[in-house]
């Protein structure tokens, strides 16, 4: 996509976008970029991450208008902080790309490189991840764009600061360390990734190049596939840095946050990560009128407003709430990971967001913040890649998994028409058996799968 998004869907030399052949649909399981949108239940879907995860309010408004004009008006923010536009057709993907170019939005080529959301404006930042990203793309641009790399290859540059990226897993992690040093680790999150190299920016960049070379040996390879012996031959000093600590997230996304230099940012989430373009446009118009200048996309399906006076935050939060955004930490929807669901995804067997709203109303005990409720329309589990209290859709109804992935064998199978009753019974089982001060997650763990799975069947 580069500096001109329309380049991503070029197939011939015609000057008129509408005369070009349609963009080739992307196979499921790969990242649906503009060059290869993915077919879903509501049309084509494209995913994009603007350079640095940053947009001006005017750029975000232009993107929302384009989503309404060329798609079905639904815009999503993913768990990793990328944008998705739904309901497109082959011919309208080109028009969306042209609108992105006209708005001055840069979408770099190759895999998304996720960097700290408040890079450059957080005074607690250890080092500047944006500068390192720019150098990486400049030095390894051709390799990063190579089809030899896996379609879902993930890279993270964590500069530290108030909002870290330690919760995100990645093939390659580059994490700022004190003293202008960077740590390079592979295959994991901030706690589980394996460190392979440490040093100044130049050394870290060289190490990333070595890892990319290893990953490019065979198509669709990931960091977990690298031969450990080969890895140690490339990085003979890696065992000596195994115990180095990576940055951890410090504060929740939602709410008003005062930075150490006195500036403020306001974090919020669209409900379940999905918003209508009309709601987004109304929010952006109000934010602009109140002095906000830009947004920063963030992991956790949300974003920050920047550049506004702190006394404007309460009114902006009211507007956001009126348009379906969560603006305070701890709101129930924060603990729900819901995929697009039936009607939006051709693989889904139930409407995930509708069920999520019913669950929040009927079973509040599940939303004390101790666990994630994963609503997956099918067994692929696109919305959440970690163990959770999971409801997986199937042709026969639902699979209830107390602490696992959508693809795991269910602890209990529930007929479609009995799901509301089953969840109410599960919640009541927690309420009846929970000890003083015990969280919902701890109660489920203590009771165990055998006893808890009986709750949905009790009369």
């Amino acid at each position: 996509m580069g500096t001109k998004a329309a380049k991503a869907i070029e197939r011939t030399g015609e000057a008129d976008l509408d005369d070009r052949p349609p963009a080739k649909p992307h196979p499921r399981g790969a990242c649906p970029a503009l060059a290869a949108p993915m077919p879903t239940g509501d049309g084509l879907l494209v995913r994009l991450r603007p350079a640095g995860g940053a947009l001006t309010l005017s750029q975000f408004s232009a993107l929302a208008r384009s989503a309404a004009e060329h798609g079905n008006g639904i815009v999503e923010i993913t768990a990793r902080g990328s944008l998705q536009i739904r309901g497109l057709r082959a011919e309208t993907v080109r028009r969306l790309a042209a609108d992105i170019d006209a708005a001055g939005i840069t979408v770099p080529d190759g895999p998304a490189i996720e960097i700290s959301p408040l890079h450059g404006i957080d005074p607690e930042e250890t080092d500047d991840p944006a500068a390192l990203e720019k150098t990486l793309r400049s030095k390894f641009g051709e390799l990063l764009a190579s089809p030899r790399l896996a379609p879902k290859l993930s890279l993270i540059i964590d500069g530290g600061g108030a909002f870290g990226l330690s919760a995100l897993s990645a093939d390659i992690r580059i994490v700022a360390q004190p003293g202008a040093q960077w740590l390079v680790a592979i295959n994991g999150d901030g706690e589980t990734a394996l460190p392979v190299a440490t040093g100044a920016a130049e050394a870290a960049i060289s190490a990333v190049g070595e890892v990319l070379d290893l990953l490019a040996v065979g198509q669709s390879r990931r960091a977990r596939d690298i031969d450990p012996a080969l890895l140690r031959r490339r990085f003979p000093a890696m065992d000596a840095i195994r115990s180095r600590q990576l940055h951890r997230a410090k504060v929740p996304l939602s709410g008003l946050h005062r930075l150490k230099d006195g500036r403020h940012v306001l974090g919020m989430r669209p409900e379940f990560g999905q918003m209508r373009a009309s709601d987004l446009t109304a929010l952006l118009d109000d934010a602009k009128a109140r002095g906000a200048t830009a947004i920063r996309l963030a992991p956790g399906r949300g974003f920050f407003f920047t550049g506004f006076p702190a006394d404007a935050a309460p009114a902006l939060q009211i507007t956001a709430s009126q348009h379906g955004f969560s603006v305070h930490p701890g709101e129930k929807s924060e603990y729900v990971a819901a995929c697009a669901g039936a009607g939006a995804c051709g693989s889904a067997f139930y409407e995930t967001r509708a069920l999520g709203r019913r669950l929040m109303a009927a079973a509040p005990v599940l939303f004390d913040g101790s666990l994630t409720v994963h609503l997956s329309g099918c067994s692929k589990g696109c919305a959440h890649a970690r163990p959770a209290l999971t409801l997986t859709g199937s042709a026969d109804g639902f699979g209830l998994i107390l602490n696992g992935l959508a693809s795991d064998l269910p602890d209990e199978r529930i007929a479609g028409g009995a799901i509301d009753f089953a969840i109410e019974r599960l919640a009541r089982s927690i309420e009846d058996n929970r000890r003083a001060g015990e969280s919902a997650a701890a109660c489920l763990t203590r009771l165990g799968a055998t006893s808890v799975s009986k709750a949905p069947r009790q009369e």
Side-chain angles (χ1 to χ4, degrees):
M1 288 167 271
T3 57
K4 292 294 183 181
K7 290 181 179 179
I9 56 172
E10 288 180 351
R11 292 292 185 271
T12 64
E14 291 91 351
D16 186 349
L17 284 170
D18 288 332
D19 290 336
R20 293 177 183 155
K24 184 180 179 180
H26 216 294
R28 287 190 172 274
C31 293
L34 277 170
M38 186 176 76
T40 66
D42 58 353
L44 296 176
L45 175 146
V46 299
R47 181 179 303 148
L48 57 94
R49 180 175 175 82
L55 292 168
T56 66
L57 296 194
S58 296
Q59 287 174 331
F60 207 9
S61 293
L63 190 61
R65 291 193 299 270
S66 187
E69 181 178 357
H70 304 310
N72 61 8
I74 294 178
V75 181
E76 296 174 327
I77 304 179
T78 71
R80 302 183 73 92
S82 293
L83 290 171
Q84 294 186 160
I85 311 298
R86 306 193 69 93
L88 296 158
R89 303 186 304 280
E91 63 273 17
T92 60
V93 173
R94 310 182 189 94
R95 297 168 192 160
L96 173 70
D99 287 348
I100 290 172
D101 285 343
I105 300 171
T106 299
V107 184
D109 290 317
I113 298 179
E114 294 144 359
I115 65 178
S116 309
L118 299 186
H119 61 86
I121 62 174
D122 185 347
E124 296 183 68
E125 193 171 61
T126 305
D127 212 328
D128 183 5
L132 195 66
E133 179 193 9
K134 184 177 180 180
T135 303
L136 279 174
R137 289 197 182 279
S138 175
K139 186 167 183 178
F140 301 120
E142 185 175 344
L143 180 55
L144 286 168
S146 170
R148 293 180 296 159
L149 295 177
K152 282 193 171 184
L153 182 72
S154 55
L155 297 91
I156 284 174
I157 309 179
D158 190 348
F163 299 92
L165 301 177
S166 64
L168 292 187
S169 183
D171 289 286
I172 304 174
R173 304 181 62 85
I174 311 112
V175 184
Q177 306 286 287
Q181 300 288 294
W182 293 88
L183 175 68
V184 179
I186 66 168
N187 186 33
D189 58 22
E191 294 184 353
T192 63
L194 175 66
V196 297
T198 187
E202 295 79 7
I205 290 168
S206 177
V208 172
E210 293 283 344
V211 176
L212 289 173
D213 281 339
L214 292 173
L215 292 172
V217 171
Q219 190 172 358
S220 298
R221 295 189 60 186
R222 306 296 294 271
R224 60 178 176 265
D225 301 318
I226 298 176
D227 184 329
L230 180 58
L231 189 67
R232 280 175 170 75
R233 285 198 293 271
R234 292 283 186 114
F235 301 101
M238 60 180 286
D239 290 333
I241 57 174
R242 184 183 297 276
S243 63
R244 291 292 296 271
Q245 293 295 310
L246 307 187
H247 287 286
R248 297 174 182 267
K250 300 176 182 178
V251 292
L253 186 156
S254 296
L256 181 65
H257 306 281
R258 185 179 187 274
L259 304 181
K260 277 196 170 181
D261 60 0
R263 289 180 294 177
H264 291 78
V265 296
L266 179 62
M268 59 185 63
R269 293 179 172 90
E271 186 183 47
F272 309 135
Q274 187 178 92
M275 52 199 157
R276 296 208 65 85
S278 55
D279 290 316
L280 176 58
T281 299
L283 175 61
L284 293 171
D285 287 346
D286 187 66
K288 187 173 184 179
R290 298 185 187 282
T293 57
I295 68 103
R296 297 294 185 91
L297 298 169
R301 298 182 174 85
F303 58 88
F304 295 101
F305 279 115
T306 66
F308 60 93
D311 58 7
L316 185 52
Q317 287 177 308
I318 291 173
T319 299
S321 295
Q322 292 171 341
H323 289 281
F325 292 81
S326 298
V327 297
H328 299 294
E331 295 188 29
K332 292 184 182 68
S333 61
E334 182 177 338
Y335 307 117
V336 178
C339 69
C345 176
S347 298
F349 289 95
Y350 71 96
E351 295 182 2
T352 54
R353 288 170 172 82
L355 180 58
R357 296 184 188 102
R358 300 203 306 272
L359 290 183
M360 289 189 295
V365 69
L366 297 175
F367 302 96
D368 63 355
S370 65
L371 53 80
T372 296
V373 178
H374 180 194
L375 304 179
S376 184
C378 72
S379 61
K380 290 188 297 181
C382 298
H384 193 69
R386 298 188 177 194
L389 176 60
T390 302
L391 279 170
T392 300
S394 70
D396 299 324
F398 297 84
L400 172 63
I401 303 160
L402 295 176
N403 184 29
L405 306 177
S407 57
D408 290 344
L409 288 174
D411 296 298
E412 183 66 27
R413 296 190 183 276
I414 303 168
I419 185 60
D420 291 302
F421 173 76
I423 293 299
E424 289 177 9
R425 294 295 306 180
L426 177 62
R428 187 173 301 175
S429 176
I430 296 173
E431 292 171 344
D432 292 344
N433 291 281
R434 188 166 55 170
R435 295 170 178 170
E438 190 175 40
S439 69
C443 182
L444 285 173
T445 299
R446 178 174 56 80
L447 293 176
T450 301
S451 60
V452 173
S453 65
K454 295 178 182 177
R457 293 178 288 169
Q458 293 173 355
E459 296 180 359

